[in-house]
Amino acid sequence: MSDTQLTLIDEVRTRFGPRAAITDPADVEPWLTDWRGRFHGSARAILSPSSTEEVSAIVKLAGEHRVPLVPQGGNTSMVGGATPPGDGSALILSLRRMNRLRTISAQHNVAIVEAGMILQQLHEQAAAVGRRFPLTLGSRGSCTVGGLISTNAGGTQVLRFGTMRSLVAGLEAVLPDGSIHSGLSGLKKDNRGYSLDQLLVGAEGTLGIVTAAALRLVPAVYSRAVGWAGVGDPQAALALLRDFEAKTDRIEGFELIPADSLELVLRHIPGTRNPLDGEHKWNVLIEATSSAPGFDPVELLQSLLAGAIGDKLVEDAMVASSESQAEALWRIRDSISEAERTDGPSTAHDISVAVADMPTFLLEAKAAVERAFPGTIASAFGHLGDGNLHFHVRAGSRSMPGWNQREGHEIERFVDDLVTAAGGSISAEHGIGQMKRGELERLAAPGDLAALRAIKNALDPHGLMNPGKLVG
Ligand SMILES: Cc1cc2nc3c(=O)[nH]c(=O)nc-3n(C[C@H](O)[C@H](O)[C@H](O)COP(=O)(O)OP(=O)(O)OC[C@H]3O[C@@H](n4cnc5c(N)ncnc54)[C@H](O)[C@@H]3O)c2cc1C
């Protein structure tokens, strides 16, 4: 450990107590590897402040000693975003102790919470005042508000409510020079030039530390309907979504699931069963909600699906008749990645193209990958209505130790090239982190990359905020 790190850790301990700097290797170790187990870092300590003032003081000290900091929330990043570099040059700055609810108002439809609050707790706090925070995802029991903001996370309700960016009414953050940006007033209109709040959303901890956020709430769900439909191809799935959108504004979940993903789940995840009697090449999971009594989303979804069967858009369909059946349908969707992992190695691509182009793109990309890498199996599932699918390529018959590092790496470049040629994004919701950093550099427009770097260098001239991530 360098002397400067030791001095910094001692100063933090002296000023803020022993809980503010964790150095026991057994306590640090679990936070050095990313959720997917692909990146392993090294750090002598986790600095763990309990207030915005403490974060500010730590950032100033780190600046004086030139010690890089890696902000960390729940460490559920899919791109190694919160994993420190392997050379031990950085310390982790965990926001997990800062998890308080500051205020919540059903009247203003806003909750002001600290960055370390876990998403599940935010859902519970909102429900307690008859409101809902309308963003959810598989990691909700571990991921934090600060991480969700810093990755501009999406999830399964983006179709209706947008990504994290549209749910942030204001931010409090510590900038790289240690100053505190206070933007929690939740103003609906504020045109004082560049928006620091929005710059920090999706910045992956490279421009400062988010310490608290004012978040928009919506009315709580009074009742919901969850259904499953078998369709012939992704074009029919998108036509179904457009048909529903023309008839109702109650649809908030619409997930595409191919037959082979469903088959993998049924094979590997105990207790799951096919929602329909027959097999269908493609399936969609649909959720409709109502926030008011006196309106039945189950009736609505049943009638929409019956009409779609009549119009030959849908081959067969069902609507869950109980909450446990609804949960079982979502469990199938949420278990796809786990089922794939059990099945063998795969590469994962969180991609987006224009919504209308996605059905054709995914079929052509699947065919191109399987032609170029015979024996692999490409499939795509997820948020069709957002033009964002998780395009995964399983090693199939080519599976062997080290496949990910060799052929998997080639496949990643192949898929990223296809997406870029289609005018799409190589990272729709997970961010760049360290995993996609090289690909961003390879594929981004040079002018765009220069602008991103200029912003980074202007705010963080010594490169101390989350080094080695995004453009750092
Ligand atoms: C099972 C599972 C399902 C997921 N599903 C989805 C999904 O559907 N949609 C989706 O968008 N994502 C999904 N994700 C990934 C998603 O990015 C994270 O779950 C979440 O956004 C990260 O929150 P976190 O607190 O764990 O952040 P971390 O992993 O700790 O950090 C993520 C990034 O944010 C930075 N950061 C963290 N906190 C702060 C802070 N306070 N200030 C500044 N920077 C900070 C970190 O440095 C890092 O760059 C999923 C992940 C898992 C494991």
Side-chain angles (χ1 to χ4, degrees), residues 357-371:
D357 297 341
M358 185 51 104
T360 308
F361 173 82
L362 86 87
L363 294 177
E364 289 180 358
K366 173 179 167 60
V369 169
E370 290 175 353
R371 212 171 31 244

Side-chain angles (χ1 to χ4, degrees), residues 36-61:
R36 275 192 165 136
R38 278 182 152 208
F39 300 97
H40 308 280
S42 169
R44 183 62 191 84
I46 298 178
L47 305 180
S48 189
S50 69
S51 70
T52 303
E53 290 68 30
E54 289 185 15
V55 175
S56 166
I58 288 172
V59 170
K60 280 183 187 153
L61 283 172

Side-chain angles (χ1 to χ4, degrees), residues 35 71 73-77 81 139 143-144 147 150-151 153-154 204-205 210 429 466:
W35 185 81
N75 196 26
T76 63
S77 166
S139 56
C143 67
T144 63
S150 302
T151 58
E204 302 187 26
V210 175
E429 50 177 21
N466 211 3

Side-chain angles (χ1 to χ4, degrees), residues 4 60-68 89 462 464:
T4 47
K60 280 183 187 153
L61 283 172
E64 282 163 25
H65 294 292
R66 298 281 192 269
V67 174
S89 57
H462 303 298
L464 300 180

Side-chain angles (χ1 to χ4, degrees), residues 228-247 254 256 280-284 286 303-317:
W228 188 279
V231 295
D233 52 39
Q235 282 85 356
L238 186 56
L240 182 68
L241 175 62
R242 295 303 183 227
D243 178 58
F244 284 6
E245 283 172 342
K247 292 172 178 156
F254 196 92
L256 182 72
H280 303 273
K281 275 189 160 170
W282 296 86
N283 304 271
V284 281
I286 307 149
S303 115
L304 287 173
L305 285 167
I309 291 173
D311 293 341
K312 306 251 181 290
L313 270 179
V314 163
E315 295 170 352
D316 191 12

